[in-house]
């Protein structure tokens, strides 16, 4: 069975496609215009309410209270031993001579696994190309 996606469009199909695209563009434009009109009406109604609600001599409204920032997660104290997961994932406190923090052990293990898979894949390809597998 021939693949239908590889055959070029006929003139009728091309004309139908262009008509559908034009129809879709017109629908999207009408929808966008409708949304803009609705937004404009909502903003006008909101501004009218605000003008009617505030008398001319009313004091300025108080600023809204700022939400409190959450404190960062507490770090384990020096006397508290870190769990296995924390030791594997968190960067050790030590740094190199350049001031760059050392790599976490879990990241080292993942890099090692990826390198082993890469080398194994290369060996498999080499063996299959040479006809040994």
């Amino acid at each position: 069975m021939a693949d239908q996606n590889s055959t070029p469009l006929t003139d009728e199909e091309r004309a139908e496609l262009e008509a559908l695209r034009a129809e879709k563009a017109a629908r999207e434009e009408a929808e966008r215009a409708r949304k803009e009109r609705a937004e404009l009406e909502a903003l006008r109604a909101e501004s009218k309410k605000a003008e009617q609600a505030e008398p001319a001599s009313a004091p300025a409204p108080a600023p809204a209270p700022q939400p409190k920032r959450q404190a960062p997660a507490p770090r384990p104290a020096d006397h508290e031993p870190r769990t296995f997961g924390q030791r594997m994932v968190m960067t050790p406190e030590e740094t190199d001579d350049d001031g760059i923090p050392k790599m976490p052990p879990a990241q080292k293990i993942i890099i090692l696994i990826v390198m082993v898979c890469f080398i194994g894949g290369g060996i498999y390809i080499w063996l299959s190309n040479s006809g040994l597998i």
Side-chain angles (χ1 to χ4, degrees):
M1 218 169 163
D3 186 15
Q4 293 181 352
N5 292 334
S6 64
T7 58
L9 295 176
T10 64
D11 290 337
E12 293 174 353
E13 291 173 332
R14 194 170 288 119
E16 181 183 358
L17 180 62
E18 290 300 321
L20 290 172
R21 285 181 180 164
E23 185 180 316
K24 179 181 176 186
R27 277 195 318 261
E28 289 174 352
E29 181 66 27
E31 180 67 21
R32 186 184 61 77
R34 186 193 60 78
K35 285 181 181 179
E36 286 178 355
R37 279 192 299 275
E39 182 181 0
L40 178 63
E41 291 299 321
L43 290 174
R44 283 182 183 165
E46 184 178 316
S47 66
K48 284 183 182 180
K49 283 183 184 179
E51 288 175 4
Q52 292 172 356
E54 291 184 24
S57 63
Q66 297 290 331
K68 293 182 179 180
R69 289 189 172 197
Q70 294 180 352
R75 299 185 69 201
D78 292 334
H79 64 278
E80 294 180 25
R82 294 192 304 182
T83 64
F84 175 75
Q86 289 173 331
R87 286 193 312 263
M88 290 299 288
V89 176
M90 295 174 65
T91 304
E93 300 303 322
E94 305 89 33
T95 59
D96 292 342
D97 295 335
D98 300 335
I100 300 171
K102 293 187 176 181
M103 193 180 305
Q107 188 175 358
K108 291 178 185 178
I109 292 170
I110 290 172
I111 290 173
L112 177 69
I113 291 171
V114 168
M115 289 180 70
V116 167
C117 291
F118 181 76
I119 292 170
I123 291 171
Y124 177 78
I125 290 172
W126 176 67
L127 289 174
S128 64
N129 285 342
S130 62
L132 298 175
I133 293 183

